Amino acid sequence: SQELEQSPQSLIVQEGKNLTINCTSSKTLYGLYWYKQKYGEGLIFLMMLQKGGEEKSHEKITAKLDEKKQQSSLHITASQPSHAGIYLCGADKEYSGGGADGLTFGKGTHLIIQP
Amino acid sequence: DTGVSQDPRHKITKRGQNVTFRCDPISEHNRLYWYRQTLGQGPEFLTYFQNEAQLEKSRLLSDRFSAERPKGSFSTLEIQRTEQGDSAMYLCASSLGDYNEQFFGPGTRLTVL
């Protein structure tokens, strides 16, 4: 079965600094999704990537999917306290070929922003 | 508010009791998903519906769990004879058509004493 490994598990960054979170798959990714979760709350959709080499940005957050479609990175520029939370990557099941069914998630990266 | 809503937000129950959770998806979304999340883990897929049809169930969904979406709108997740291991956050999500961008509700936190 497909597994997603996120690194680092936790990250403490001074406000204003840049940071990168990685998500690595054991198998080819058909669809890769980034979510943010505040502690004890639901997930907020950030971005979806499907094509090798694809890159998307929203405000100060940029996500990329590598050419081989087995690794994705999430980069935050000039971090702010509002960026604090848990970042989760999720992937379409391999056998669905990108179909709309349940996602497989990594364990998440806990991001703390120090003022 | 037109997002996914879940009720209740918190539920405390005693071992052996039955509990039922409700999820109201975004109104035009035809797909609805249930996930379970325990502390320090990412969400784990339980089951999903396309309209009123339950299309997939995870092996995590034991016989004590049942989910319904009778009219293709809201869904309920029932856990019978709860066990302490059922304590978790239960998340509902919905999506539209062929797109798998799933939008999540705030979750129901279940504590089994």
Side-chain angles (χ1 to χ4, degrees):
Chain A
S1 63
Q2 185 171 44
E3 292 184 357
L4 296 177
E5 188 170 325
Q6 289 189 237
S7 63
Q9 285 186 315
S10 63
L11 189 56
I12 302 173
V13 172
Q14 195 170 17
E15 183 177 352
K17 297 294 186 183
N18 304 337
L19 63 105
T20 300
I21 297 168
N22 294 302
C23 175
T24 303
S25 171
S26 56
K27 300 186 179 181
T28 300
L29 293 162
Y30 290 95
L32 189 285
Y33 306 80
W34 283 101
Y35 287 87
K36 179 186 174 185
Q37 185 177 32
K38 290 285 191 182
Y39 297 100
E41 298 181 8
L43 280 65
I44 300 168
F45 174 77
L46 296 175
M47 276 172 278
M48 171 185 140
L49 304 165
Q50 283 188 307
K51 300 175 184 176
E54 186 174 11
E55 179 175 323
K56 287 186 178 178
S57 294
H58 177 67
E59 297 181 343
K60 295 184 178 180
I61 301 176
T62 300
K64 301 178 184 179
L65 182 61
D66 75 342
E67 290 289 345
K68 294 183 179 179
K69 296 174 65 176
Q70 283 194 270
Q71 185 170 4
S72 178
S73 61
L74 186 83
H75 184 76
I76 298 177
T77 304
S79 58
Q80 301 169 347
S82 60
H83 289 130
I86 303 168
Y87 289 81
L88 292 152
C89 63
D92 289 323
K93 291 198 182 65
E94 56 176 314
Y95 56 77
S96 72
D101 52 16
L103 298 176
T104 300
F105 283 93
K107 291 185 177 181
T109 294
H110 294 238
L111 174 62
I112 297 171
I113 306 296
Q114 277 186 336
Chain B
D1 192 317
T2 56
V4 178
S5 62
Q6 292 187 245
D7 184 68
R9 294 292 307 276
H10 304 273
K11 179 71 177 178
I12 299 174
T13 190
K14 293 182 179 179
R15 190 174 54 186
Q17 298 294 306
N18 299 343
V19 294
T20 299
F21 310 140
R22 176 178 170 129
C23 171
D24 286 88
I26 294 171
S27 58
E28 65 267 27
H29 285 186
N30 60 334
R31 290 193 171 91
L32 186 149
Y33 310 80
W34 285 100
Y35 292 84
R36 181 179 70 184
Q37 186 178 26
T38 54
L39 198 62
Q41 303 295 316
E44 296 173 294
F45 169 74
L46 294 177
T47 188
Y48 99 97
F49 294 83
Q50 179 168 309
N51 300 313
E52 65 275 10
Q54 189 172 15
L55 296 187
E56 187 177 1
K57 289 194 283 188
S58 161
R59 57 183 169 79
L60 293 175
L61 215 64
S62 76
D63 292 344
R64 297 184 296 106
F65 288 69
S66 63
E68 292 183 343
R69 195 183 182 198
K71 297 182 180 179
S73 56
F74 74 91
S75 175
T76 58
L77 177 69
E78 181 183 14
I79 308 173
Q80 295 182 327
R81 305 182 302 282
T82 53
E83 301 173 355
Q84 287 185 326
D86 296 331
S87 295
M89 174 79 90
Y90 289 84
L91 294 162
C92 175
S94 69
S95 68
L96 176 65
D98 294 333
Y99 300 100
N100 211 11
E101 297 172 13
Q102 297 180 18
F103 294 88
F104 282 77
T108 294
R109 180 166 295 284
L110 173 66
T111 301
V112 181
L113 301 175

